[in-house]
Amino acid sequence: MAEFETFNGGRSRKITVGDLQVPFREIPLTTGDTFRLYDTSGPLGGDPRLGLPPRRAPWVARREARGDTNFSQLHYARRGEITEEMRFIAIREGVTPEFVRAEVASGRAIIPANRRHPELEPMIIGRKFLVKVNANIGNSAVSSSIEEEVEKLRWSVQWGADTVMDLSTGADIRATREWILRNSPVPIGTVPIYEALERVNGRVEKLDIDLYCDVIEEQAEQGVDYFTIHAGVLLRYVPLTANRITGIVSRGGSIMAKWCLHHHKENFLYSNFERLCAIMKKYDVSFSLGDGLRPGCLADANDDAQLSELRTLGELTKVAWQHDVQVMIEGPGHVPLNLIRENMDLQLEACHEAPFYTLGPLVIDVSPGYDHLASAIGAAVIGSQGCAMLCYVTPKEHLGLPDKNDVKQGMIAYKTAAHAADVAKGHPGARDRDDALSRARFEFRWEDQFNLAMDPGTARSFHDETLPAAGAKVAHFCSMCGPRFCSMKITQEVRAYAEQHKLDEAAALEAGLGEKASEFAGHGGSLYVAEPTS
Amino acid sequence: MAEFETFNGGRSRKITVGDLQVPFREIPLTTGDTFRLYDTSGPLGGDPRLGLPPRRAPWVARREARGDTNFSQLHYARRGEITEEMRFIAIREGVTPEFVRAEVASGRAIIPANRRHPELEPMIIGRKFLVKVNANIGNSAVSSSIEEEVEKLRWSVQWGADTVMDLSTGADIRATREWILRNSPVPIGTVPIYEALERVNGRVEKLDIDLYCDVIEEQAEQGVDYFTIHAGVLLRYVPLTANRITGIVSRGGSIMAKWCLHHHKENFLYSNFERLCAIMKKYDVSFSLGDGLRPGCLADANDDAQLSELRTLGELTKVAWQHDVQVMIEGPGHVPLNLIRENMDLQLEACHEAPFYTLGPLVIDVSPGYDHLASAIGAAVIGSQGCAMLCYVTPKEHLGLPDKNDVKQGMIAYKTAAHAADVAKGHPGARDRDDALSRARFEFRWEDQFNLAMDPGTARSFHDETLPAAGAKVAHFCSMCGPRFCSMKITQEVRAYAEQHKLDEAAALEAGLGEKASEFAGHGGSLYVAEPTS
């Protein structure tokens, strides 16, 4: 068994479970117990030039050896085969392999797992599973090196990213992707139109389906697990954006809209959709059907442009499913709180319950610098209503490119949203971590509180600011109120009284309070409080 | 007219409207227009030793001269009198004075406005008005000086606090409060049991109603606008907390519970509630009926202890209303997203639509260091469902005392939540600021985006990190994607095309696209995008 180590500023260790070596993270508690967490961090600390161990290689090799032509998990699920990926996920999520298979077979969940990405630790995206979080990375014209992108990947999964999208543009796009894939324990998504546009030197009108298919075949060959494809931006929908405040805000959407207008032809991704399916199934790349007409501000939310495209994405979902290709649906964006439910309900209906994957949504437009927070509100709400994966937003959204701290802030905001959604959905065991931390809080087990926190290092450093002494970590009061004004102790006193008299607590309170009131008074003890308000 | 000045890192100026000099903040736009905001900041920059001008003094003097004995706004509202406070609020909120009066008369809204707090700029708390935010300040045994507390007050209202609670304990509690009141343009709330407990040297069992009435009379005389009073913590409810994970987490609640157990008597605040009412109405101090049994973790949410106390608060609301004393009801705390609606619905029903005032709620327990964010999610949701005021939570919650930056982070998280709620409720004009910022975003008016943002300085500095040159503030692309990969421009191109051909935009698109496709292609122009994702 591995030793406990310092991870994200707290104590924990990586463990694996079963013959498939499913990873978990174990936190030591001062009570002698341990607490087990879902873990996305993958094998840490290796040489990026060597890449991660190809754990899925033997699984895939058997399928190739027997001559399979459709490698999609949906294909296997529909013919009743429980794959290693499904077994792995069952252990990870605490459900049966058959449940995983059935959800995939129905299209309600996807397992993004290109057979050319053997380094992957399989995960599932669907509303009956834990809500997932995607982090975006990627260089741009100005910015970072390949090594920096690998470091961003590692940083993202260390803070809990379930999938990562590589949105790189510019030079080295292919080499960057290769490094990312070989070092990624999580599914990698891309937006292939970016590379296609690079190949025509940014001249949108030169794009065509042959070029695009070359790009996706090459990316599939590299191991990309899902593609964002804006096949629902139809020519006739473009005029619907004319009276919007912010028009078209999706890069891919604007590229396809411009192509449609230039040629006055239908979107070539729509009209050649089955050619795409043929490539996807050979590798098991999942569709992430892009919402190119998503709203870019509250005023444009749930308008005709957005909802028309959504219905087209539903139509394309059925086409993909005819090929046993896995599909999820991308969603907004900017949506006021009162319109979120309609987004979720319409998506489930129009897209036949294919998993929904939203960017936020932001619930206000006036929070530049804090859009991670404004969008985490929308993300938590739509997650609780059934959205399966949340694409994070960082504090730099609308202002600049995120640095390392922005990535962390975005991840924590979105892990908060996803966890709030899991608890709200009543996902089995989702609240266990909260209960464990709350017990530690009530019993003033400070070290356990820090280690169970989403960001142990920050929790500890905030506590240290007021009460840095090591003794304060076992003190029976909080730094907010000092020893006199703390409240938790009174319940502890009541319980101690019951214990001492060998009484069941409630009985002690109900029966004993009358005649025992004076005895209780003798106990004395100071007052404790856990929260700084009233 | 005042000059524009630098305020919170942006350009704006304070203006006043009408004979009552109702304050607003005006933001200059590069289009030549201005945008007007609700403003809580009060007269800035004065000498704290002099205090603020007593703008309400003549209003109150007239009422005293005519021999009034009940000064509550509820009393005036019920007898059909529209006070200066109501007229002031009507202008502030953009409604009629009669609407304000009727909402106050019904008990659905309160105007916390002690006649001894003449420095106050009146505001209203009720679910048909803008959602309000409370900030907590206050020294503790260890910490800050009086000057520091006044500075915290000013900092809070500068970032939008609608009310401020002074939770000071320890020495100088009375002098601190005096300085705060004389310098506060917003209502000040306190928890009088803290001062009462100081007077008996922390010995809970020595508390009694006479001492308590002395304390509230003195605080009312100083000008405190609302009191948190834990009159709903009944003896028989204390056993209901025995099986909770975190027991009793409210300071005031734990004090009253201990008193009840010690004496085996009913809570003296409950059994002498009408004595309290008699004092409150002489000054017009509002009740903030405290939730002493609020849950301190998700597991304890909506339990019998919490809901029993809520029903008692409803009973006390009716008693207060018989005396024409204004009432709001405090609420939790820690509540999973799926149980928030039940909290709001039960509160409205049990408390006869008296305004609800909640602390968060936090929607997860595992976010120490980020509880401002975890609770802003719950606050936005309960605000959108009708909660009238949100008590902020800072990043230091559960860990330590907030410093200046924590207060700012808490305020911004809660202004975000409150604004999201206002938009979701369809509050008239609530979305105007979002639309103005979104228009600026679409038109690449960067300075306008910064100035309209909740935190102009932070928005600007984040933008500067990537593109610091002044030219970038008028550039037609974002720093995320560089000039090639931006999407907004395509809609602008479409619109320019329509303009040039003197056509209505939609008609241009619908009618002209066929034969004009080749012409459009000739326009060229690069692609622009506003958001970094797909």
Side-chain angles (χ1 to χ4, degrees), chain B residues 122-231:
Chain B
M123 54 78 71
I124 194 163
I125 301 167
R127 71 182 197 280
K128 299 193 180 174
F129 300 91
L130 290 165
V131 175
K132 303 306 187 298
V133 175
N134 173 72
N136 291 331
I137 62 173
N139 63 2
S140 75
V142 230
S143 75
S144 57
S145 71
I146 292 178
E147 289 73 16
E148 281 173 302
E149 292 309 309
V150 172
E151 180 51 32
K152 277 190 214 165
L153 164 73
R154 290 180 168 192
W155 184 243
S156 302
V157 298
Q158 183 177 327
W159 288 104
D162 294 287
T163 74
V164 167
M165 290 195 78
D166 172 18
L167 303 180
S168 295
T169 58
D172 290 333
I173 190 170
R174 186 183 161 79
T176 305
R177 190 166 51 235
E178 185 66 24
W179 281 71
I180 288 173
L181 278 162
R182 300 290 75 79
N183 285 284
S184 181
V186 303
I188 297 295
T190 63
V191 189
I193 200 79
Y194 299 170
E195 185 172 0
L197 193 63
E198 295 289 350
R199 295 202 188 174
V200 293
N201 295 312
R203 299 192 60 186
V204 170
E205 68 279 9
K206 300 289 184 195
L207 291 167
D208 66 34
I209 187 66
D210 294 328
L211 170 75
Y212 189 86
C213 284
D214 288 348
V215 169
I216 66 169
E217 181 105 33
E218 288 173 33
Q219 293 198 10
E221 190 74 31
Q222 277 189 297
V224 174
D225 302 288
Y226 63 91
F227 291 145
T228 292
I229 297 187
H230 299 92

Side-chain angles (χ1 to χ4, degrees), chain A residues 463-480:
Chain A
H463 187 257
D464 284 354
E465 280 178 31
T466 320
L467 291 174
K473 299 289 180 295
V474 292
H476 274 209
F477 56 89
C478 307
S479 45
M480 274 89 72

Side-chain angles (χ1 to χ4, degrees), chain A residues 229-251:
Chain A
I229 297 187
H230 299 93
V233 180
L234 302 191
L235 175 60
R236 66 180 180 277
Y237 300 157
V238 180
L240 301 178
T241 66
N243 292 317
R244 283 178 156 189
I245 286 184
T246 53
I248 299 176
V249 296
S250 147
R251 286 191 226 180

